[in-house]
Amino acid sequence: MDSQSASTRLHLIATAERLFAEHGINAVSMRRIATDAGQRNDNAVQYHFGSKQGLVDAVFEHRQVPIDVRRTALIDGFDREGRGSDPYAITEAFVLPLAELLEAAPGGSWYLRFCVQAAYTLHPDVATLTLNDLEARPGTRGLARLRERAGEVLAAEDMPAPLGLQRWWHFTGFLAHSLADREARLHTGGLRELGSTELFLSGLIDTGAAVLNAPCRPSTLALAEGRAGAAVHAG
């Protein structure tokens, strides 16, 4: 791929990320992306990516590969410190690479809102994002390691497997949506009530760790184990 083609491809990825984040994947046509990217050829997206799904995959790969490098370095560092399975370390390794992107991206970041949009897309040309889908993409080995560590934390609390899977979904969803909200507020200037970045991230990590650590009520355990009658009386 020559330098001009590579530059055009990156510009299309950046434009698509922004438009998808602002309007949703369903609402943005490939022609709109080409036009906003300054391409005279309306079929530029098809030429470079083949389809809308190919473009969505390219946005993920463009962002996730460097994020994964940073996340893996954090996990390895926590392992050397002997706290690789600590809920706070797991949460930090999830949050910090994404939070650093918010602060570093020229002109602001759109990636977190793009991720949230991708998770709720219902379109015949684009697959709805699931945890298994995300962890199968390039640049997600670190995320898979975190999921394994979180599973060990939850198993140590004797949490039934269905609840463990549910808890990981709550954990990642809460953190991703909170970061996406901050990303949006960075564009609108509505951050005063959330405090400084340092305070926001510290509180977010505390709360994320609490999601992993929160004990289950007896009634919830009963439901997970198929003891519906016991759940009624357990309260």
Side-chain angles (χ1 to χ4, degrees), residues 156-222:
E157 299 295 328
D158 295 323
M159 186 173 292
L163 285 177
L165 177 61
Q166 199 179 89
R167 189 63 66 89
W168 175 250
W169 180 257
H170 293 326
F171 173 80
T172 57
F174 163 71
L175 295 174
H177 280 78
S178 295
L179 288 165
D181 178 70
R182 185 166 185 88
E183 181 184 78
R185 289 170 183 268
L186 281 168
H187 284 269
T188 62
L191 291 173
R192 287 172 300 194
E193 67 273 26
L194 296 180
S196 68
T197 297
E198 184 178 12
L199 177 61
F200 172 81
L201 293 178
S202 185
L204 184 63
I205 290 165
D206 288 346
T207 310
V211 171
L212 288 180
N213 278 328
C216 293
R217 294 174 298 161
S219 56
T220 305
L221 293 172

Side-chain angles (χ1 to χ4, degrees), residues 7 28 101 129 135-136 139 167 186 190 197 214 219 231-232:
S7 177
V28 180
L101 176 65
L129 180 67
E135 291 172 15
R167 189 63 66 89
L186 281 168
T197 297
S219 56
V232 172

Side-chain angles (χ1 to χ4, degrees), residues 89-165:
I90 293 170
T91 310
E92 283 186 56
F94 184 93
V95 167
L96 292 183
L98 299 172
E100 289 161 3
L101 176 65
L102 295 183
E103 302 296 329
S109 170
W110 311 88
Y111 180 63
L112 287 153
R113 282 169 291 168
F114 162 81
C115 288
V116 169
Q117 293 283 8
Y120 295 104
T121 294
L122 296 175
H123 191 282
D125 297 329
V126 179
T128 303
L129 180 67
T130 68
L131 283 175
N132 289 333
D133 293 334
L134 180 58
E135 291 172 15
R137 293 176 183 272
T140 56
R141 291 181 62 188
L143 184 63
R145 288 174 70 186
L146 290 184
R147 185 177 186 180
E148 182 179 347
R149 304 288 174 90
E152 292 170 359
V153 170
L154 298 171
E157 299 295 328
D158 295 323
M159 186 173 292
L163 285 177
L165 177 61

Side-chain angles (χ1 to χ4, degrees), residues 20-33:
F20 288 155
E22 287 184 319
H23 306 292
I25 292 172
N26 288 338
V28 180
S29 68
M30 292 190 285
R31 176 175 294 184
R32 166 76 185 278
I33 293 166

